[in-house]
Amino acid sequence: MIALFVALGGASYAAVKIPKNSVGNTQLRKDAVTSTKVKDRSLLATDFKTGQLPRGATGAAGATGATGATGAAGGTGPAGPTFAFTYSGGGGGISGSYVSVVDQSFTVPRAGRIAFTFSGRFIQTAGSPEVTCLTKGTGDVGAGPSTYSGVLSGTGESAQLPIVGNFDAAAGVNRIVIECTTAFGTSVNIGGWQLNGLLTDP
């Protein structure tokens, strides 16, 4: 009877369920949890100490984007001036008749159009002169309007005369002539002048 009671009692004890969350670190023996008792792929990286898990190999670099195609070359722009000049001079006087203030020859490399500017300073020397200038291009063609200084009534009074002109030029030697005059009995000195020009398309 005693043996039967012990046997029955032991069986009854084994059938008792352990309460949930009642087993902790204290109840577990050292090395009690082994690999066979851990569910595969149930642990996370945060369950391991820092540096305990090896770092994975660096992945291959991604493909670079395609380079855009080079755009087509733009068209050739218009040709710039192929010839330009600057001349200057002065001295001499004008009194009652036409005098060539400028008589300048130059050679251009191709046919085109010469555009030029002239600026001349004239100084009163006698009477009350008014300077009148005519401008001619190659072949004595008119290259600019007639230009007038206005009356220089004071002793030593001066005037600066600007002229803007242009004319057709052939390849080779061309010429600009500027002739100026005053009324009879009056005179001026040519204080100095400058002539600038360039060759443009026809």
Side-chain angles (χ1 to χ4, degrees):
M1 291 295 290
I2 294 172
L4 179 61
F5 176 79
V6 171
L8 291 174
S12 299
Y13 178 79
V16 174
K17 291 185 177 181
I18 299 175
K20 186 177 181 180
N21 297 326
S22 64
V23 176
N25 291 335
T26 304
Q27 287 75 25
L28 290 175
R29 296 196 306 272
K30 183 178 180 181
D31 299 326
V33 179
T34 62
S35 176
T36 58
K37 293 180 175 133
V38 177
K39 182 178 180 181
D40 290 344
R41 299 179 181 83
S42 64
L43 297 179
L44 303 176
T46 55
D47 296 322
F48 296 85
K49 291 182 179 179
T50 301
Q52 196 168 14
L53 294 178
R55 181 184 296 273
T58 302
T64 57
T67 302
T70 302
T76 302
T82 55
F83 176 79
F85 59 79
T86 297
Y87 300 107
S88 60
I94 304 171
S95 179
S97 61
Y98 276 97
V99 173
S100 291
V101 177
V102 175
D103 189 344
Q104 184 66 55
S105 296
F106 48 88
T107 302
V108 298
R110 63 176 176 84
R113 195 159 187 84
I114 294 291
F116 65 89
T117 60
F118 166 86
S119 180
R121 181 168 173 262
F122 300 91
I123 306 167
Q124 184 272 355
T125 54
S128 298
E130 180 178 24
V131 181
T132 302
C133 295
L134 302 176
T135 308
K136 302 175 184 178
T138 301
D140 286 335
V141 299
S146 297
T147 306
Y148 307 94
S149 68
V151 176
L152 305 177
S153 56
T155 302
E157 184 179 355
S158 64
Q160 198 79 17
L161 268 71
I163 299 174
V164 177
N166 61 86
F167 63 94
D168 290 328
V173 178
N174 287 266
R175 183 183 180 201
I176 292 179
V177 175
I178 299 178
E179 298 178 338
C180 301
T181 187
T182 63
F184 182 76
T186 66
S187 63
V188 294
N189 280 339
I190 304 170
W193 57 264
Q194 182 166 299
L195 177 70
N196 301 301
L198 57 83
L199 178 66
T200 64
D201 291 331

